[in-house]
Amino acid sequence: MEILMAFVIGILFMSATYLMLSKSLLRIIIGTGLLSHGAHLLILTMGGLKRGSAPLLGEHAEHYTDPLPQALILTAIVISFGVTAFFLVLAYRSYQELGTDNVEDMKGTEPND
Amino acid sequence: MTNLIILPILIPLFTGVVLIFLNKRITGQRVVAIFSSIGTMIAAGVIVQKVRTDGIQSLNVSSWDAPFGITLVSDMFSALLVLITSIIAFACLIYSFKSIGQEREKYYYYAVFNFLLVGVNGAFTTGDIFNLFVFFEVMLMSSYVLLVLGGTKIQLRESIKYLLVNVISSALFVVAVAYLYSVVGTLNMAHISSRINEISVNGMPGILTVIAVLFLIVFGLKGAIFPLYFWMPGSYYAPPAPVLTLFGALLTKVGVYSITRTYTLFFYHDMDAFGILTILAILSIVFGVIGAIAYWDIKNIIIYNIIIAVGVILYGVSVLNTASLTGAVYYLIHDMLIKAALFLLVGIVITITGTSNLRNISGLITRYPGLGWTFFIAALALAGIPPLSGFVGKLLIVQGGFEGESFIGGFITLMSSLLVLFSVMKIFINGFWGKDRTYGGEEKAPVKQLLIAPAILVAISALYGIGSEFILPYISQAADTLLNPKLYIDAVLKE
């Protein structure tokens, strides 16, 4: 199971890298979304995918799945939500101000503009 | 007071929350911000004294025992960094009063400023690797807002690049934590260290070297080391002077702190990873020097000097003996102070002249002697001229390098001082000497009030250099913990 997940995560990382190297800003943001999906799936996989009950004590099971990676993912998900929302608004704002979403046109370090 | 070490995190957090409600009342915001800043400084000073007398302080949040809950740990290294952070924050704050402008102040500038300090102080104090990630995000999120606040074109453009680089490095951080968790099965830094020690009896397993290099990439992206500094010159060029000062003095140093902490605590068995760190540190010095002497723009010159300093500190860490680590800690603190002072001074020059192009500036010393001589002292301190603060740190790093028989690195560190001195003297000679000119922004700039903050920082850094005999016990205590991870582990896990 872990092997399969490793391939899935690898493909997610691959697509994310490809998208983030493209010119359009929206494709880059989609790339960051895929990258965080990959990272979150990786935490889940690395915590182990052994069979066990959901981590609820009311289940009275013999084995539970590891609750720690799930807490980590939950934290990482909300953080990446916040950052992605900020990034999208930033992209929207710079589309209004700079009039382009092509990152090739966002060059230059002309002082004080 | 067992909860003492949480105060430098809690005070700015609480202040930030209060400031959100005061957003239209600028005077109120300033008063609250300045009081909380002084409070944080006092708390940080008390912590340093407490660590000096009683050893490493650790606090188990919510009283869950060490490996299971989140532990905050204040050893001398983090305590000193928290103290310096609060001093720099105070200086930036009083500089902001005169320079940042009402528009930014109304839009939560001081609130976000305080949240940035929460992130930085938290990152220095935490003893849990995932909590470190969370504090990194607190710090980065605030830095995105501070970078883009004001919304000029250059800020928008550079924020996109800065944000993208940091999103990628945060994802890599999560990946690195996931790999480390799958190998050692814990997140508490002391517990990770002792478990790595257990599985490394016959040499470090290869996977841990991979994780060590992954951590180097993650923190190197934050701390701007050699192949990963490409985002910095552009991003740091965009924001206004006090924000730039916070970034230049604090943010990259959190990356440096994290590399130092993880390498000395987790991967001290791993000579391969340390070899890579040495090479990258030396290359950072070389490339930073090339940038610093190439530019004729005063902001860019100082920005490239950050990369040089990061290289020098990490070179000291990578040699890993008593002298070099003491030197690295000493130099880290010196560099935070002096970079903050230099960025504030450069900010004043830009306010007066309206340009950062050195070719259009000359003769400032005739009308602004105070500014000129403060800059001169700061420049000499940066290069490491003996009575000032840069000297002892670099001396110890070079001494450590030669003791560790890393002659090339020691030699390059030594030579870099010369070119650092050249790069800042270029600003002094071309900008302050020469023909007197008039500038557009001159009438508006309240130079005297602006000069207070950098003058305080330069005075502290001069005292730090002259009083090194008095400071050195603190620094050696910090280096001692870095050199003996057992002290840290015992303080946290309390067997």
Side-chain angles (χ1 to χ4, degrees):
Chain A
M1 192 64 187
E2 277 91 348
I3 304 277
L4 184 65
M5 288 304 279
F7 274 105
V8 172
I9 295 160
I11 291 167
L12 277 172
F13 277 180
M14 193 173 69
S15 336
T17 314
Y18 174 74
L19 282 171
M20 285 188 299
L21 290 172
S22 60
K23 285 182 183 174
S24 156
L25 194 51
L26 271 180
R27 289 168 71 101
I28 291 175
I29 298 175
I30 293 169
T32 63
L34 290 183
L35 187 69
S36 57
H37 281 326
H40 299 155
L41 276 179
L42 187 73
I43 306 181
L44 200 63
T45 312
M46 285 311 202
L49 293 174
K50 290 170 212 69
R51 282 175 189 282
S53 175
L56 297 167
L57 286 178
E59 298 274 306
H60 300 293
E62 270 186 42
H63 302 288
Y64 292 98
T65 50
D66 189 353
L68 193 60
Q70 302 185 14
L72 301 188
I73 291 172
L74 196 62
T75 315
I77 285 175
V78 290
I79 289 173
S80 72
F81 265 177
V83 175
T84 308
F86 186 84
F87 202 175
L88 279 168
V89 175
L90 184 67
Y92 177 62
R93 194 52 212 282
S94 43
Y95 177 68
Q96 285 180 322
E97 290 279 322
L98 306 173
T100 177
D101 85 324
N102 188 342
V103 284
E104 290 276 302
D105 296 338
M106 297 183 189
K107 280 183 187 166
T109 49
E110 67 269 36
N112 312 319
D113 72 350
Chain B
M1 269 288 268
T2 49
N3 290 334
L4 183 67
I5 62 172
I6 207 172
L7 282 183
I9 306 171
L10 217 53
I11 295 173
L13 178 66
F14 186 68
T15 316
V17 173
V18 169
L19 288 179
I20 289 176
F21 297 102
L22 289 175
N23 68 320
K24 297 292 178 217
R25 304 205 179 103
I26 292 172
T27 324
Q29 286 197 60
R30 289 176 176 180
V31 172
V32 173
I34 201 92
F35 273 110
S36 92
S37 181
I38 292 169
T40 318
M41 257 196 293
I42 293 168
V46 174
I47 292 170
V48 169
Q49 272 311 322
K50 179 97 174 150
V51 176
R52 177 81 188 120
T53 49
D54 300 352
I56 300 170
Q57 301 291 307
S58 77
L59 169 69
N60 293 328
V61 178
S62 302
S63 300
W64 293 99
D65 279 340
F68 304 113
I70 286 177
T71 314
L72 299 176
V73 188
S74 215
D75 64 343
M76 189 46 98
F77 189 34
S78 19
L80 283 173
L81 288 174
V82 168
L83 177 63
I84 298 302
T85 302
S86 12
I87 292 171
I88 290 170
F90 176 76
C92 282
L93 197 65
I94 53 178
Y95 187 91
S96 301
F97 290 165
K98 288 292 161 196
S99 78
I100 201 74
Q102 293 211 342
E103 272 309 302
R104 284 195 173 93
E105 285 177 307
K106 270 185 200 157
Y107 287 94
Y108 308 101
Y109 173 77
Y110 295 117
V112 182
F113 185 104
N114 275 292
F115 290 135
L116 184 82
L117 294 181
V118 175
V120 174
N121 285 341
F124 286 147
T125 315
T126 186
D128 182 287
I129 195 81
F130 196 77
N131 197 228
L132 179 67
F133 165 73
V134 175
F135 276 123
F136 258 105
E137 289 301 314
V138 172
M139 172 185 96
L140 290 171
M141 197 75 189
S142 324
S143 74
Y144 305 150
V145 178
L146 283 179
L147 182 58
V148 82
L149 190 67
T152 58
K153 279 183 181 165
I154 183 170
Q155 283 179 307
L156 287 168
R157 210 173 54 202
E158 297 303 334
S159 295
I160 288 173
K161 297 169 195 170
Y162 179 74
L163 218 162
L164 180 62
V165 168
N166 281 305
V167 166
I168 294 168
S169 82
S170 299
L172 285 179
F173 197 169
V174 172
V175 169
V177 170
Y179 284 148
L180 191 59
Y181 180 70
S182 77
V183 176
V184 297
T186 177
L187 295 169
N188 182 298
M189 278 151 80
H191 201 209
I192 292 174
S193 173
S194 64
R195 285 210 169 154
I196 287 180
N197 198 18
E198 281 163 23
I199 56 181
S200 300
V201 273
N202 302 319
M204 196 118 162
I207 183 72
L208 283 171
T209 306
V210 174
I211 295 171
V213 173
L214 198 53
F215 270 114
L216 185 61
I217 293 171
V218 170
F219 297 134
L221 262 170
K222 321 262 185 197
I225 63 173
F226 155 61
L228 308 167
Y229 69 80
F230 56 87
W231 55 271
M232 198 175 78
S235 305
Y236 280 19
Y237 198 89
V243 177
L244 171 60
T245 310
L246 277 182
F247 285 17
L250 303 181
L251 296 199
T252 52
K253 303 306 182 292
V254 180
V256 173
Y257 164 82
S258 309
I259 292 177
T260 312
R261 182 62 83 201
T262 49
Y263 270 63
T264 55
L265 190 59
F266 301 169
F267 305 119
Y268 55 95
H269 298 284
D270 190 359
M271 283 309 126
D272 297 338
F274 271 96
I276 296 170
L277 184 61
T278 314
I279 294 167
L280 292 185
I282 293 172
L283 285 173
S284 310
I285 301 176
V286 172
F287 279 79
V289 161
I290 292 173
I293 55 179
Y295 278 96
W296 275 82
D297 186 295
I298 48 178
K299 265 195 207 173
N300 272 330
I301 293 173
I302 312 291
I303 287 170
Y304 275 95
N305 268 301
I306 300 177
I307 301 169
I308 305 173
V310 167
V312 170
I313 297 160
L314 287 180
Y315 172 70
V317 172
S318 75
V319 175
L320 203 66
N321 55 33
T322 317
S324 77
L325 272 176
T326 317
V329 176
Y330 195 97
Y331 198 80
L332 176 58
I333 291 168
H334 143 78
D335 189 65
M336 289 167 82
L337 281 169
I338 210 71
K339 283 284 146 53
L342 278 170
F343 277 121
L344 292 177
L345 289 165
V346 160
I348 300 175
V349 172
I350 293 171
T351 329
I352 294 170
T353 61
T355 174
S356 60
N357 188 341
L358 199 50
R359 291 202 171 86
N360 299 332
I361 306 171
S362 70
L364 284 172
I365 198 109
T366 44
R367 248 173 293 172
Y368 305 101
L371 176 66
W373 295 118
T374 316
F375 187 88
F376 183 70
I377 297 170
L380 291 186
L382 181 70
I385 305 292
L388 297 164
S389 61
F391 174 68
V392 185
K394 212 169 247 178
L395 179 74
L396 285 168
I397 289 175
V398 171
Q399 185 197 334
F402 286 159
E403 276 171 10
E405 300 191 343
S406 158
F407 295 109
I408 300 171
F411 184 72
I412 288 177
T413 311
L414 215 51
M415 284 299 108
S416 73
S417 300
L418 209 60
L419 294 168
V420 165
L421 184 65
F422 169 71
S423 71
V424 275
M425 276 305 134
K426 187 165 86 176
I427 302 180
F428 183 71
I429 290 172
N430 290 288
F432 287 90
W433 290 356
K435 188 167 61 67
D436 193 15
R437 306 191 199 188
T438 50
Y439 299 99
E442 221 160 6
E443 308 307 317
K444 291 172 285 175
V447 177
K448 286 235 167 61
Q449 286 116 312
L450 287 176
L451 197 56
I452 298 169
I456 293 173
L457 289 176
V458 170
I460 292 173
S461 107
L463 287 178
Y464 181 60
I466 294 163
S468 48
E469 198 67 43
F470 169 73
I471 312 266
L472 217 52
Y474 293 84
I475 308 278
S476 354
Q477 194 185 348
D480 206 31
T481 324
L482 293 179
L483 212 55
N484 303 309
K486 190 118 190 31
L487 295 176
Y488 187 97
I489 297 168
D490 287 347
V492 176
L493 296 182
K494 290 186 192 107
E495 263 105 37

